[in-house]
Amino acid sequence: MSGISTGVGPFSGINTGDLVNQLLSIEARPRTLAQQRVIQLQAQQAAFLDLNTKLSALKSASSAFNISNIFNSAHASSSNQDVLTATANAGAAVGSYSFLVDRLVSTQSVLSRGFADRTSSAIGLDSVTFEPTAGRLDRDVELASLNGGDGISRGNIRITDRAGGSATVDLSRVASISEVLDAINAASGTQVTATVNGDHLVITDDSGGTGSLTIADAEGSTTATSLGIAGSIAGAAFTGTAVYNLQGTTSVTALNDGNGIRVNRAVGSLTSDFTIVDRAGASHTIDVGNIYSGAAVLTSAAPTTIQGIIDRINSQTGGAVTASISASGDGLTLTDTTGGGGNLTVTDIAGGGAAADLGIAGNVAGATLAGSRILAGLNTTLTRNLLGGSGLSSGAFSITARDGSQLDFTVPTTGTVTDIVNQINTSGAGKIRASLDNTGTGLTLTDISGGSGNLIVAGAAATALGLSTVPAGVAAATVNSARLQHRYIAESTLLSTLNGGRGLGTGTFEIRDSTGRVGVIDVGSDSLTVGDLLKEINSNPVNVTARINDNGDGIILEDNDAQSGNVKIRVRDLTGTVGAGLRIIGEAAGTGVNNKLDGSYERTITFAAGSTLDQIVTKINEAGVGVSASVISDGSPSHPFRLSLASRESGVAGRLTVDTHGVDLGLNTLSEGRDARVFYGSDNPATAVLLSSSTNTVSGIIPGVSINLHTVSRDPVTLSVSRDTDSIETSVSAFIDSFNALVGRIDALSDYDPETNRRGTLLGDSTASQLRTAAFSTIQSRPTGVSGQYQFLSQIGIRLNSTGTLELDSTKFRQALDNDPQAVHDLLAAKVQDPRTPIELSPGVHVENTGPDTFSSLGIAEKMSRMVERYLDPANGILTKRKSTIDDQIQLQNDRIAQMTAKLESRRGVLQAQFQRMEQALAQLQTQQQSLSGIHSL
């Protein structure tokens, strides 16, 4: 027989399947209890996971006060948002500030004369050169640099010419010498011309009158006095007093046309820059950089002013040789006080250049060494910086004017470009006039003799300056020099001043040399000068030498001829844009002598013969020279098409010189590129602080505040920076909500409802009960190590209500915040960590202390954060351990359930076998009964 595991037995009539299941259900009661226990444990697991989430939210809300710097959050509001708006960052200085927006930033743009078409006719342009205005020979001087860095007092001046004409000139908004000159020369009511000469201003009377020329301070101003032009003379030319000369406060970075001086920037004891040997034979090593102790600890920072340099020299020679500012006010003088009979000698230490840059390198037989000029005059540059820094070795000039006059003279080689111009004009005897050319990068000689012969210019200086016309001369009245290549990049140049003051940033670039070897140059924050950068490159084992290029306007990478290969030098940026900022990205034009990359900031673009306007525009835009070119149509009937050139950078930093090399395109400057200008701190520009920016976003005026300029204002705009109380209150509310959410969830999970007999999942759970107690104990405690007037949250409006939840009294909280914001901060968010003392394993042997952090001060929110960490710590947290315990219990119950299930299945088999045997026995009995019945019937 078979198939008796379910259903009714065929012989017994018993439902054996149900009977087996009923018997097994009695025996399965322990398994059912285990399964119910698993469900309970899983519910607890889910409950603790819920509490874990609530605790994490509470920790985030507790830590936010410090992590997000909530108490330092600020809000900026403008009294006129049409003029300016602002964004205040955390820590912004609270207060009210007055601004007057004088002008917005503009971008340099020039426009050519009109052309008949743009696509078919050649315009005759062979090449064009673009270069930053740092290459000009007439560097405009900021007024802040005058009078030894004290600047001037802005305001009004009163000028009365010799004919009695009078004008009040408003100089309250000027920032540079050029702006002063422009304002005076544009004044109506008086006939005068303002110029500069050397270190002073010159006012020339053009009225033809016979009275006195008078320049005076207007009422309430001292502007004329601070410009050195206050006074009255009977003559036609008023020469002001010196306002731009060396003083003790003059910045070292202002020397040598803003290139500063080279110093030894090595760290350690061997950092001297030059040697002075006095007349008694004693040698003195002079260090004008950082000075370190024997342990390489900085003991004295490099001087930043001329007086600091003088003090270093006087101190380190012990007074044997003293330094001072020269009587002319443009250089230094060394005086030997020893009374010795030898020479006074100053020599740069190998690899240095500080003495040369200070103008004092030399050897004299006397007791006085007069240094060369190191500070140029107003709106001019040093002769020593011409021709890429080569300067003039000879001043010899010879000019034959067109009327046959022979003019032989010598121009100064150690002065300024203005000195050269003045000497030519003086020696020209009214027949030759010298001036800067129209790009400001070279000189122009103009014959005004009225003759018709050839103009002949000769001499060593003329040849060096590119003015020589020998032997035949030229049948023209003017001669233009070559570009005189003013050096504005030297080893001492700060990297931060490159690219119009944008600097280079930090990063790495790769150099592949002529042998295919690759080196990586890492330019970090420790690289301050171009010299530092050159050392970084030249110390790399690639077959390349880096130096300042011949024009003094960039660095050049050259193949080392001693190991020349046949691979072109290549440079590419890896991180950052340092290589691009140096303009050395790319591949050399060839190998051998052409295997070099010149990062000159002067860029010349050449055009094919017959190039049209559109072709010129395309080539300029493809050259990547910082200029955007386009063709515009002015709508005129005959010559509507004009070449438009605009700098890609705004403000003064984006100004460029445009040299068309003698081709007259009729270029007209539409906008010269000016910085945004703002007056800060006063309604009166004369007494306000003048600020400028190369964009319409101004930062650094108010700490933590960025100001966006929208339009010019006639009236001052008030910017109010206040504590962002709303953000603070929002964060406090988030902290309260997170606390209430945690406590409310603990209460819900631990609740018992007698009416429904519903028990909370964590009812009676000690961990949940301890967590609730810890949360309330923390929230009601005092802060640790805080001495402020607020010691409990209830004192600042955070209190427990009758339902046992936290609530915020906003009025009381804001009052407390206004009354003592630091005390509110300390109560909630104080956090001062104790320093860790190294562990001493043995005398003199210490190891790092990796023990737990300790704190001398903790606010309530930070204490709450620490409390939460005790529960959530991934290794030893209370909830972490409880979860592990529950996991173990669930696993144990599941193992028991599996064992009991196996045992029950075995028992089922036994019972089924027993019932099967019973059916078989009944079948046999029935068969015997039938047999007996048959015998009885016989």
Side-chain angles (χ1 to χ4, degrees):
M1 295 181 64
S2 63
I4 66 168
S5 60
T6 61
V8 178
F11 302 104
S12 65
I14 299 172
N15 190 333
T16 58
D18 285 348
L19 185 58
V20 168
N21 288 337
Q22 291 175 16
L23 290 171
L24 289 177
S25 66
I26 296 172
E27 296 185 31
R29 285 178 181 174
R31 187 182 69 172
T32 301
L33 293 175
Q35 290 171 334
Q36 291 174 348
R37 179 58 178 159
V38 169
I39 294 173
Q40 291 175 348
L41 290 171
Q42 288 174 337
Q44 290 179 358
Q45 192 177 52
F48 280 117
L49 180 61
D50 190 5
L51 293 184
N52 191 302
T53 301
K54 296 294 188 293
L55 279 169
S56 295
L58 178 57
K59 178 173 174 56
S60 296
S62 301
S63 303
F65 294 106
N66 278 314
I67 293 177
S68 300
N69 212 6
I70 295 299
F71 276 94
N72 284 329
S73 60
H75 173 72
S77 61
S78 170
S79 63
N80 190 337
Q81 295 191 6
D82 293 334
V83 173
L84 64 84
T85 55
T87 301
N89 299 320
V94 174
S96 293
Y97 308 90
S98 177
F99 294 94
L100 187 65
V101 182
D102 186 55
R103 69 187 185 203
L104 300 182
V105 73
S106 63
T107 301
Q108 179 186 2
S109 63
V110 297
L111 196 64
S112 75
R113 59 180 169 85
F115 295 91
D117 65 79
R118 58 186 293 177
T119 58
S120 58
S121 299
I123 67 171
L125 187 63
D126 299 320
S127 64
V128 61
T129 298
F130 299 99
E131 185 176 20
T133 53
R136 290 182 64 98
L137 306 178
D138 55 346
R139 301 173 70 245
D140 196 7
V141 174
E142 297 294 315
L143 298 180
S145 300
L146 302 186
N147 299 309
D150 291 335
I152 72 162
S153 173
R154 296 192 315 276
N156 295 331
I157 65 172
R158 186 77 176 170
I159 301 177
T160 304
D161 63 29
R162 300 184 72 195
S166 184
T168 298
V169 183
D170 185 358
L171 299 179
S172 64
R173 296 171 182 257
V174 294
S176 70
I177 282 291
S178 291
E179 291 180 354
V180 171
L181 301 181
D182 290 343
I184 295 175
N185 294 335
S188 60
T190 186
Q191 299 180 60
V192 297
T193 300
T195 57
V196 293
N197 188 12
D199 54 15
H200 54 269
L201 280 75
V202 178
I203 310 298
T204 302
D205 189 291
D206 303 318
S207 69
T210 58
S212 294
L213 172 60
T214 303
I215 304 105
D217 294 314
E219 184 177 356
S221 295
T222 58
T223 307
T225 299
S226 63
L227 284 169
I229 54 174
S232 179
I233 63 167
F238 185 101
T239 299
T241 58
V243 290
Y244 188 54
N245 50 16
L246 286 181
Q247 296 188 23
T249 55
T250 300
S251 171
V252 172
T253 58
L255 306 181
N256 299 309
D257 295 343
N259 287 322
I261 66 171
R262 288 167 286 181
V263 297
N264 186 344
R265 297 191 60 248
V267 175
S269 57
L270 301 177
T271 62
S272 298
D273 296 288
F274 56 91
T275 300
I276 298 178
V277 178
D278 62 33
R279 300 188 74 197
S283 180
H284 312 275
T285 55
I286 308 301
D287 190 338
V288 292
N290 289 338
I291 296 178
Y292 299 87
S293 68
V297 175
L298 180 65
T299 58
S300 180
T304 58
T305 65
I306 283 292
Q307 190 59 52
I309 297 289
I310 291 173
D311 291 343
R312 279 285 182 90
I313 294 173
N314 295 344
S315 171
Q316 293 174 357
T317 64
V321 178
T322 61
S324 60
I325 295 173
S326 63
S328 60
D330 54 27
L332 295 178
T333 297
L334 297 185
T335 302
D336 188 294
T337 65
T338 65
N343 283 9
L344 174 59
T345 305
V346 182
T347 308
D348 274 311
I349 292 175
D357 292 341
L358 288 169
I360 56 174
N363 186 339
V364 296
T368 301
L369 190 158
S372 60
R373 185 163 194 158
I374 56 175
L375 185 71
L378 295 171
N379 291 16
T380 189
T381 50
L382 294 171
T383 304
R384 67 193 295 186
N385 280 326
L386 296 181
L387 309 179
S390 298
L392 297 179
S393 58
S394 170
F397 244 96
S398 178
I399 299 178
T400 303
R402 300 190 73 190
D403 67 354
S405 300
Q406 182 68 34
L407 307 169
D408 296 317
F409 54 93
T410 300
V411 298
T413 60
T414 59
T416 68
V417 171
T418 296
D419 294 335
I420 294 175
V421 170
N422 289 344
Q423 186 62 55
I424 295 174
N425 289 336
T426 299
S427 302
K431 298 179 182 294
I432 298 294
R433 182 174 64 242
S435 62
L436 296 185
D437 64 18
N438 60 2
T439 67
T441 61
L443 297 178
T444 295
L445 298 183
T446 303
D447 188 298
I448 54 176
S449 68
S452 58
N454 279 6
L455 173 61
I456 303 173
V457 185
T463 300
L465 295 173
L467 288 166
S468 175
T469 64
V470 294
V474 293
T478 60
V479 174
N480 290 313
S481 76
R483 296 174 70 85
L484 295 185
Q485 303 301 343
H486 172 241
R487 177 178 62 175
Y488 53 89
I489 295 181
E491 290 185 23
S492 52
T493 302
L494 294 174
L495 295 178
S496 60
T497 65
L498 300 183
N499 295 302
R502 297 186 305 279
L504 297 177
T506 59
T508 58
F509 60 90
E510 175 187 274
I511 300 177
R512 181 189 67 188
D513 67 17
S514 60
T515 65
R517 183 186 304 166
V518 173
V520 175
I521 311 301
D522 187 355
V523 181
S525 57
D526 58 331
S527 296
L528 300 180
T529 67
V530 172
D532 294 339
L533 177 66
L534 296 179
K535 289 178 182 177
E536 183 78 24
I537 297 174
N538 292 329
S539 64
N540 196 285
V542 288
N543 186 29
V544 168
T545 298
R547 63 176 178 86
I548 304 294
N549 65 15
D550 294 338
N551 288 345
D553 59 12
I555 71 168
I556 187 170
L557 304 181
E558 298 173 308
D559 177 30
N560 186 342
D561 291 337
Q563 303 177 30
S564 181
N566 57 6
V567 178
K568 295 178 182 179
I569 295 173
R570 184 192 67 191
V571 176
R572 65 188 183 99
D573 276 317
L574 299 179
T575 61
T577 58
V578 174
L582 291 169
R583 301 196 179 191
I584 55 174
I585 294 298
E587 191 172 72
T591 57
V593 295
N594 294 317
N595 206 358
K596 57 188 177 183
L597 285 170
D598 192 342
S600 172
Y601 286 91
E602 174 190 308
R603 300 290 298 277
T604 297
I605 306 169
T606 58
F607 307 105
S611 291
T612 65
L613 270 179
D614 276 3
Q615 290 170 333
I616 286 172
V617 163
T618 298
K619 193 156 188 182
I620 291 175
N621 288 334
E622 290 176 347
V625 294
V627 174
S628 174
S630 61
V631 176
I632 67 170
S633 174
D634 62 12
S636 62
S638 58
H639 295 81
F641 300 106
R642 296 171 180 259
L643 173 65
S644 174
L645 302 173
S647 173
R648 293 186 183 274
E649 298 291 338
S650 60
V652 173
R655 288 182 183 175
L656 298 165
T657 61
V658 183
D659 188 353
T660 57
H661 302 284
V663 177
D664 183 11
L665 296 181
L667 294 178
N668 179 43
T669 300
L670 301 181
S671 172
E672 63 180 352
R674 302 190 302 176
D675 287 344
R677 180 177 292 175
V678 181
F679 291 98
Y680 160 61
S682 173
D683 296 351
N684 182 2
T687 56
V689 177
L690 189 155
L691 307 163
S692 62
S693 172
S694 60
T695 69
N696 286 327
T697 298
V698 183
S699 301
I701 304 172
I702 307 169
V705 178
S706 178
I707 302 171
N708 299 310
L709 311 179
H710 304 303
T711 189
V712 172
S713 60
R714 291 185 177 181
D715 299 317
V717 176
T718 299
L719 184 65
S720 299
V721 181
S722 58
R723 185 179 300 104
D724 194 350
T725 305
D726 289 342
S727 294
I728 299 173
E729 186 173 330
T730 297
S731 297
V732 170
S733 295
F735 172 68
I736 290 173
D737 292 343
S738 297
F739 178 87
N740 288 339
L742 171 66
V743 173
R745 192 57 183 152
I746 293 174
D747 290 345
L749 292 170
S750 305
D751 187 34
Y752 172 71
D753 186 349
E755 295 182 1
T756 61
N757 199 31
R758 186 192 68 79
R759 298 169 58 88
T761 304
L762 299 181
L763 178 64
D765 185 271
S766 61
T767 300
S769 177
Q770 291 171 3
L771 174 59
R772 188 180 192 280
T773 299
F776 275 102
S777 176
T778 302
I779 209 71
Q780 294 176 298
S781 68
R782 291 175 177 266
T784 300
V786 171
S787 59
Q789 63 172 307
Y790 302 128
Q791 293 294 309
F792 295 99
L793 293 181
S794 59
Q795 293 175 304
I796 63 170
I798 303 174
R799 62 190 179 191
L800 287 169
N801 58 25
S802 58
T803 63
T805 58
L806 282 181
E807 64 179 10
L808 176 65
D809 183 336
S810 295
T811 301
K812 188 173 182 179
F813 178 75
R814 288 177 178 255
Q815 287 174 347
L817 200 57
D818 289 340
N819 180 47
D820 194 342
Q822 186 61 48
V824 175
H825 165 272
D826 291 346
L827 172 63
L828 279 167
K831 184 180 180 182
V832 179
Q833 184 174 343
D834 296 327
R836 289 183 174 179
T837 303
I839 299 173
E840 186 172 14
L841 297 180
S842 60
V845 180
H846 296 80
V847 296
E848 182 182 359
N849 186 347
T850 59
D853 295 332
T854 59
F855 298 86
S856 58
S857 294
L858 280 178
I860 301 301
E862 286 297 331
K863 289 179 68 175
M864 186 67 72
S865 180
R866 304 280 89 70
M867 184 276 291
V868 171
E869 285 180 1
R870 291 199 302 273
Y871 280 84
L872 297 185
D873 183 85
N876 299 307
I878 295 173
L879 286 191
T880 303
K881 291 181 177 179
R882 184 60 193 278
K883 177 182 180 300
S884 178
T885 299
I886 293 175
D887 289 343
D888 291 344
Q889 290 177 339
I890 290 174
Q891 184 62 48
L892 177 63
Q893 294 299 329
N894 283 333
D895 290 344
R896 290 182 60 203
I897 290 170
Q899 293 172 358
M900 287 187 284
T901 298
K903 185 175 181 180
L904 289 172
E905 288 302 315
S906 177
R907 179 63 174 156
R908 180 185 295 277
V910 171
L911 292 174
Q912 288 175 343
Q914 290 176 345
F915 278 108
Q916 187 175 24
R917 287 195 296 273
M918 180 189 72
E919 290 293 332
Q920 290 173 346
L922 289 175
Q924 290 174 355
L925 289 174
Q926 288 181 358
T927 301
Q928 292 175 358
Q929 185 181 26
Q930 291 174 356
S931 297
L932 292 174
S933 297
I935 294 172
H936 179 71
S937 62
L938 295 175

